[in-house]
Amino acid sequence: MASSEDVEMEPDAAEVRRFTVELEFVQCLANPDYLNYLAQDGHFQDETFVNYLKYLQYWKTPEYSKFIKFPQCLSLLDLLQEPKFREELVNIPCTKFIQNQQMQLWRQHFRKRAALVNNSTIKKQGDQIKEEGKGK
């Protein structure tokens, strides 16, 4: 039988649901088109919504950030704390600029990753050739 301490430590369904909903929402902030929708729909003028964005800053702590799959959402969450940034998001050119910046970062990341993988493969092949040469 579980002790009372064990029961208290297990999250209830409401806590799990809240965690999931907040995680999904924070990650949606990585989508510039979604940010544009929120701006055009007036959410960034709603003080309650802006306070919610402040509250969500806890996702930047290591305890929670380890669950984030799209880390750029945390940078955008930071930017959303600035009124001028929230105002600019209503403009499509602003959101397109953010999208272009994200694409450039992803391209750069994949190029670096491909180079690392390629270098690792070449090194392994070189090591195999050296080992084969020693065996002769």
Side-chain angles (χ1 to χ4, degrees):
M1 183 168 182
S3 70
S4 62
E5 288 179 18
D6 291 338
V7 173
E8 289 176 20
M9 293 186 70
E10 293 178 15
D12 66 2
E15 288 174 339
V16 170
R17 179 156 174 80
R18 180 177 178 172
F19 174 86
T20 304
V21 167
E22 289 181 358
L23 173 61
E24 288 178 11
F25 177 74
V26 167
Q27 293 193 106
C28 283
L29 299 178
N31 181 341
D33 288 327
Y34 182 61
L35 296 178
N36 177 258
Y37 161 77
L38 292 173
Q40 288 185 0
D41 209 36
H43 291 284
F44 295 140
Q45 278 81 42
D46 181 356
E47 188 176 333
T48 303
F49 188 78
V50 171
N51 287 334
Y52 181 62
L53 293 173
K54 288 177 188 172
Y55 157 77
L56 292 173
Q57 292 277 59
Y58 76 87
W59 281 97
K60 293 172 55 183
T61 64
E63 178 183 1
Y64 290 94
S65 64
K66 65 185 177 186
F67 297 103
I68 300 284
K69 292 182 181 176
F70 306 103
Q72 66 272 27
C73 69
L74 298 176
S75 296
L76 288 162
L77 181 60
D78 276 343
L79 290 170
L80 287 167
Q81 305 307 310
E82 300 297 325
K84 183 68 176 160
F85 182 74
R86 293 191 305 265
E87 289 171 18
E88 289 297 323
L89 285 171
V90 76
N91 301 311
I92 291 177
C94 177
T95 56
K96 294 302 175 196
F97 176 78
I98 295 168
Q99 282 178 336
N100 289 337
Q101 293 298 306
Q102 285 179 332
M103 293 300 289
Q104 287 179 8
L105 283 171
W106 289 334
R107 265 188 242 123
Q108 185 179 26
H109 168 76
F110 287 121
R111 276 191 209 122
K112 286 181 180 179
R113 183 174 172 90
L116 286 172
V117 168
N118 190 27
N119 289 341
S120 175
T121 303
I122 290 171
K123 183 177 181 326
K124 285 180 185 177
Q125 289 173 347
D127 291 345
Q128 286 175 348
I129 291 170
K130 286 179 188 177
E131 289 298 317
E132 289 173 5
K134 289 179 184 178
K136 289 183 180 180

